[in-house]
């Protein structure tokens, strides 16, 4: 009897094992747990295909480019990476029209499997409105999770081509470029004695919402059926379906790249008319373009040149794409009067160019700080929120002339905190309030402190302690997906690393016994191929960060971190 039972159990165990193996073969995405995926290797596999796409594109072998893009879209690594991006960004908890959000590993694994299907139906976008700085509202379309993942998947194959075709002086929504590059380039253009004196401040009216669909379908290298589904999906607002006849919806992952590719070519049009860099004609006209997304600046030698020749040329370029300049925000200004661009005020006093935070940016951050103090005074996370606002704003403006502005902001923060403390304790003396909230650290007194939820003491970040930091402009033709520029990007990372105290680097290297914190291989400080990394929660604004928080790793290991 027992022998029969044992044989029966062995037979059932073998059958269950076979069924599990068959299911795993049918669905390879679920054979491996989502949390155990090697994301570094996944990212490297995708990067290798992207580099091959760029190499084939440079040879003008467009059939090879098409085959490699199809291979990348169908690869398992790319599908995993697309789902990873959608489920880890800020909008991962925001549902689309279907109300679905992927939180569990099982749902993410299933999403990777669904991305391989060709019969995915595009649901309409959920339309919401977010406030703008001028008091108006900007429409934002929220796609479903599966639509976001599919856009992220196609973006992996589109971005290398977009970078290869992009204008050299376009800095918005591009890998490895940011607003500091645009400001640094404008400083290079306008800081000389013989620099251009007139500026055309350009702004495109409702750029994302007005792009011509026919132009997108002809010029964006994505499968026409897939692209048309995204563009014609429509949107739902107040339980009513509206069609979309033009524009690329704001909120889509691929929309910024489509907008960038729509505006690419503006620089070439200007150079063909007014001469290429280095030519005699361009030295006379001094026409140069600096663009960040749909905001751009064009320099010129005279007001008449910008108004009669440059502006009509730009309007003709935009008209082909269904766009037009905003009459309110498109201005022609003399450099001595100054102009605002990307939150900075650029003005020339005589022969000296000064770049500092704009008045609107200063008033905006002050209002944020004031509202946070008023709303979260009794919360243990108030100082965490204040430090986050201060850190973000100061890090953005630290590459320009900010010393006086930062001291003024620090004074404003002290006065606001002091007034709030006195209102909360009207019966207490000033000495009591000072001893409770303001303490001395090092050589600085009157530093606001509080305790967080765990009882740890948090201290206020002082903007005046942040020193001016020089920013090194990225080369215009650099492409992060091109292997020819690999060592250039590694040197940029290494240069940023070497700005930090050398003692911190050496102590961290000793603590890790000379090995990389990611791959475990040895690191040589003489090769200049390393990076000192701080956790995001403990990023410091000065050189006083404890070296125990940092870890050192290869530059290649840093670049392979997924969507850092």
């Amino acid at each position: 009897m027992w022998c029969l039972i044992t044989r029966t159990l062995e037979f059932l165990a073998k059958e269950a094992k076979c069924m599990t193996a068959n299911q795993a073969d049918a669905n390879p995405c679920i054979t491996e747990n989502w949390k155990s995926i090697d994301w570094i290797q996944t990212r490297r596999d995708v990067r290798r295909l992207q580099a091959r796409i760029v190499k084939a594109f440079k040879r003008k072998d467009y059939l090879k480019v098409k085959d490699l893009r199809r291979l990348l879209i169908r690869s398992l690594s790319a599908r995993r990476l697309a789902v990873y991006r959608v489920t880890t960004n800020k909008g991962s908890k925001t549902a689309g029209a279907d109300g679905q959000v992927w939180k569990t590993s099982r749902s993410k694994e299933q999403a990777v499997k669904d991305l391989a299907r060709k019969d995915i139906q595009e649901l309409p976008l959920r339309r919401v409105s977010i406030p703008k700085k001028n008091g108006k509202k900007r429409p934002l379309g929220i796609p479903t999770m599966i639509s976001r993942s599919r856009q992220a998947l196609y973006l992996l194959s589109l971005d290398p081509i977009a970078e290869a075709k992009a204008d050299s002086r376009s800095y918005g929504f591009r890998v490895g470029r940011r607003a500091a590059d645009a400001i640094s380039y404008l400083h290079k253009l306008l800081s000389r004695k013989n620099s251009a004196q007139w500026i055309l401040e350009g702004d495109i009216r409702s750029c994302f919402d007005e792009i011509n669909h026919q132009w997108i379908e002809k010029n964006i290298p994505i499968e026409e059926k897939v692209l048309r589904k995204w563009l014609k999906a429509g949107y739902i607002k107040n339980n009513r379906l509206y069609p979309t006849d033009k524009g690329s919806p704001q909120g889509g992952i691929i929309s910024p790249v489509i907008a960038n590719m729509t505006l690419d070519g503006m620089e070439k049009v200007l150079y063909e008319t007014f001469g290429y860099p280095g030519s005699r004609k361009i030295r006379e006209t001094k026409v140069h373009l600096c663009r960040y997304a749909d905001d751009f600046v064009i320099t010129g030698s005279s007001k008449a040149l910008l108004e009669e020749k440059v502006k009509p040329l730009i309007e003709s370029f935009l008209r082909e794409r269904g766009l037009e300049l905003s009459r309110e925000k498109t201005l022609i200004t003399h450099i001595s009067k100054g102009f605002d661009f990307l939150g900075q005020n650029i003005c020339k006093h005589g022969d000296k160019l000064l770049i500092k935070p704009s008045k609107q940016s200063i008033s905006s951050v002050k209002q944020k700080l004031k509202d946070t103090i008023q709303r979260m005074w009794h919360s243990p996370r108030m100082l965490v929120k204040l430090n986050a606002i201060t850190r973000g704003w100061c890090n953005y403006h630290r590459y320009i002339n900010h010393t006086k502005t930062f001291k003024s902001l620090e004074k404003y923060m002290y006065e606001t905190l002091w007034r709030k403390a006195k209102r909360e304790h009207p019966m207490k003396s000033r000495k009591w309030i000072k001893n409770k909230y303001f303490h001395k650290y090092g050589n600085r007194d009157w530093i606001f402190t509080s305790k967080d939820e765990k009882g740890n003491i948090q201290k206020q970040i002082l903007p005046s302690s942040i020193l001016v930091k020089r920013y090194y402009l990225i080369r215009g033709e650099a492409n992060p997906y091109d292997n020819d520029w690999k060592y250039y990007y590694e040197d940029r990372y290494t240069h940023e690393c070497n700005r930090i105290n050398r003692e911190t680097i050496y102590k961290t290297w000793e603590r890790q016994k000379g090995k990389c914190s990611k791959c475990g291989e040895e690191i040589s400080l003489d090769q200049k191929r390393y990076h000192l990394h701080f956790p995001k929660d403990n990023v410091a604004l000065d050189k006083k960060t404890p070296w125990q928080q940092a870890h050192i790793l290869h530059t290649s290991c840093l670049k392979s971190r997924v969507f850092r």
Side-chain angles (χ1 to χ4, degrees):
M1 184 68 181
W2 284 108
C3 184
L4 180 62
I5 294 174
T6 304
R7 289 179 180 178
T8 305
L9 291 175
E10 289 177 355
F11 174 77
L12 292 175
K14 288 181 180 180
E15 287 293 323
K17 190 175 182 179
C18 293
M19 290 177 64
T20 305
N22 292 334
Q23 289 178 1
D25 293 337
N27 188 6
C29 303
I30 305 181
T31 59
E32 188 177 4
N33 189 10
W34 179 263
K35 296 181 180 179
S36 64
I37 296 175
D38 186 358
W39 292 111
I40 294 178
Q41 186 60 42
T42 302
R43 184 61 175 166
R44 285 175 180 169
D45 293 341
V46 174
R47 282 283 183 177
R48 194 179 298 112
L49 280 173
Q50 289 174 329
R52 291 178 64 189
I53 291 172
V54 173
K55 187 176 181 180
F57 186 83
K58 289 170 66 177
R59 295 198 312 263
K60 297 184 179 180
D61 189 355
Y62 300 121
L63 290 177
K64 185 71 172 178
V65 171
K66 187 176 181 181
D67 293 339
L68 289 172
R69 292 183 67 240
R70 187 185 297 112
L71 180 64
L72 178 60
I73 291 171
R74 293 179 179 179
S75 68
L76 180 61
S77 297
R79 284 184 279 136
R80 283 175 172 171
L81 212 54
V83 174
Y84 181 90
R85 176 172 182 174
V86 169
T87 54
T88 55
N89 60 14
K90 292 183 179 180
S92 60
K93 298 180 181 179
T94 305
D98 58 353
Q100 292 185 4
V101 177
W102 300 333
K103 294 182 179 180
T104 63
S105 297
R106 185 72 182 181
S107 60
K108 298 172 186 177
E109 293 165 359
Q110 185 62 37
V112 174
K113 179 185 175 183
D114 292 340
L115 281 178
R117 293 166 46 197
K118 296 184 179 180
D119 57 342
I120 299 177
Q121 294 184 354
E122 290 294 330
L123 295 178
L125 286 73
R126 183 165 69 89
R127 177 65 68 91
V128 296
S129 300
I130 57 176
K132 298 172 67 175
K133 294 181 180 179
N134 56 7
K136 298 181 181 179
K137 290 188 176 182
R138 175 185 286 112
L140 184 69
I142 303 175
T144 59
M145 294 292 287
I146 189 65
S147 180
R148 278 179 253 174
S149 300
R150 205 175 185 199
Q151 289 185 26
L153 178 62
Y154 277 84
L155 179 60
L156 291 173
S157 66
L158 178 65
D159 210 24
I161 299 176
E163 287 291 331
K165 297 174 64 177
D167 290 343
S168 61
R169 300 306 175 184
S170 168
Y171 299 104
F173 302 118
R174 294 183 62 187
V175 179
R177 303 182 186 227
R178 48 179 173 164
D181 290 292
I183 299 300
S184 180
Y185 179 62
L186 285 176
H187 182 273
K188 179 182 177 181
L189 286 178
L190 303 172
S191 59
R192 300 166 185 160
K193 292 183 180 180
N194 60 345
S195 297
Q197 299 295 310
W198 290 92
I199 308 296
L200 171 64
E201 306 172 59
D203 183 86
I204 302 172
R205 186 178 66 85
S206 302
C207 178
F208 283 86
D209 299 329
E210 299 293 334
I211 303 175
N212 190 347
H213 281 183
Q214 294 180 354
W215 191 94
I216 294 177
E217 292 174 4
K218 289 181 180 179
N219 295 275
I220 303 299
I222 297 179
E223 294 179 25
E224 190 174 346
K225 292 182 180 179
V226 176
L227 189 58
R228 189 173 296 163
K229 284 182 180 180
W230 291 339
L231 298 176
K232 304 294 184 181
Y235 63 91
I236 296 175
K237 186 176 181 181
N238 298 328
N239 296 326
R240 186 176 177 183
L241 178 63
Y242 295 89
T244 50
D245 300 324
K246 56 184 178 179
S248 179
Q250 298 188 52
I253 291 177
I254 206 170
S255 294
V257 178
I258 291 178
N260 256 342
M261 295 185 73
T262 304
L263 298 177
D264 285 334
M266 189 185 297
E267 186 180 57
K268 184 179 179 181
V269 168
L270 291 174
Y271 284 158
E272 288 177 348
T273 307
F274 301 102
Y276 284 87
S279 63
R280 181 179 177 182
K281 192 174 182 181
I282 197 88
R283 286 198 297 269
E284 294 175 356
T285 58
K286 300 175 183 178
V287 175
H288 295 280
L289 170 71
C290 178
R291 181 169 66 85
Y292 189 92
D294 58 337
D295 295 329
F296 61 90
V297 168
I298 302 177
T299 63
S301 58
S302 65
K303 183 177 181 180
L305 176 69
L306 294 175
E307 193 166 4
E308 297 174 6
K309 294 183 179 180
V310 175
K311 190 176 178 180
L313 192 66
I314 297 299
E315 289 177 343
S316 176
F317 173 83
L318 296 176
R319 198 177 299 115
E320 297 177 5
R321 293 152 174 79
L323 303 172
E324 62 179 2
L325 293 174
S326 172
R327 295 183 179 180
E328 301 175 356
K329 299 180 181 180
T330 303
L331 306 171
I332 299 177
T333 314
H334 194 269
I335 189 63
S336 60
K337 294 183 179 179
F339 64 98
D340 292 345
F341 186 64
L342 301 179
Q344 322 279 11
N345 179 262
I346 305 172
C347 184
K348 201 167 187 179
H349 304 275
D351 294 334
K352 187 175 182 180
L353 183 72
L354 290 179
I355 304 178
K356 54 186 180 180
S358 64
K359 293 182 179 179
Q360 185 178 4
S361 179
I362 296 171
S363 61
S364 176
V365 71
K366 286 183 176 180
Q367 188 63 40
K368 282 184 181 179
L369 293 170
K370 184 179 179 180
D371 293 343
T372 303
I373 293 171
Q374 296 291 339
R375 187 179 69 257
M376 300 181 65
W377 179 262
H378 297 287
S379 172
R381 294 190 56 82
M382 183 198 72
L383 195 53
V384 176
K385 182 68 174 177
L386 281 180
N387 285 343
I389 296 172
T390 308
R391 182 188 295 115
W393 193 83
C394 292
N395 277 338
Y396 182 81
H397 294 282
R398 71 181 308 179
Y399 302 106
I400 58 175
N401 302 311
H402 61 58
T403 306
K404 292 183 179 179
T405 305
F406 281 15
K407 288 182 178 179
S408 173
L409 180 64
E410 184 177 317
K411 182 181 178 182
Y412 175 82
M413 292 176 66
Y414 160 73
E415 291 175 349
T416 307
L417 289 167
W418 178 256
R419 285 196 300 267
K420 182 63 177 177
K422 288 202 302 183
R423 288 195 198 99
E424 291 294 322
H425 307 282
M427 306 301 295
K428 299 294 183 179
S429 64
R430 294 190 174 189
K431 185 177 180 180
W432 185 93
I433 296 174
K434 195 269 181 189
N435 293 334
K436 179 175 176 62
Y437 293 107
F438 299 90
H439 300 88
K440 184 177 181 179
Y441 287 92
N443 298 328
R444 296 297 301 267
D445 199 0
W446 290 88
I447 297 178
F448 186 83
T449 59
S450 68
K451 291 185 178 181
D452 59 8
E453 298 170 345
K454 298 181 180 179
N456 300 323
I457 296 177
Q458 299 283 335
K459 63 178 181 178
Q460 174 193 2
I461 290 177
L462 300 177
S464 63
S465 64
I466 304 167
L467 304 178
V468 175
K469 193 174 181 181
R470 184 182 176 185
Y471 186 81
Y472 290 88
L473 175 65
I474 192 171
R475 293 180 63 176
E477 62 273 16
N479 188 342
Y481 299 104
D482 192 348
N483 284 334
D484 294 341
W485 292 94
K486 176 182 177 181
Y487 294 111
Y488 170 76
Y489 279 96
E490 288 188 3
D491 290 340
R492 278 183 66 86
Y493 280 120
T494 304
H495 183 78
E496 290 289 331
C497 175
N498 288 336
R499 290 183 180 180
I500 306 174
N501 195 344
R502 185 73 184 180
E503 184 181 357
T504 305
I505 297 174
Y506 185 71
K507 285 184 177 181
T508 308
W509 182 78
E510 275 192 333
R511 176 167 53 87
Q512 295 178 190
K513 299 180 181 180
K515 295 183 178 180
C516 175
S517 61
K518 279 288 181 183
C519 64
E521 297 179 1
E522 293 185 359
I523 290 181
S524 175
L525 298 183
D526 297 331
Q527 293 180 355
K528 297 182 180 180
R529 293 284 184 266
Y530 58 86
H531 184 85
L532 191 69
H533 179 69
F534 291 91
K536 285 187 176 181
D537 297 336
N538 298 313
V539 173
L541 296 175
D542 52 17
K543 298 180 181 180
K544 297 180 181 179
T545 304
W547 61 270
Q548 292 88 350
Q549 297 177 356
H551 57 90
I552 196 167
L553 67 164
H554 292 112
T555 309
S556 57
C557 293
L558 174 76
K559 291 169 67 178
S560 64
R561 291 173 63 228
V562 181
F563 298 104
R564 51 187 178 82

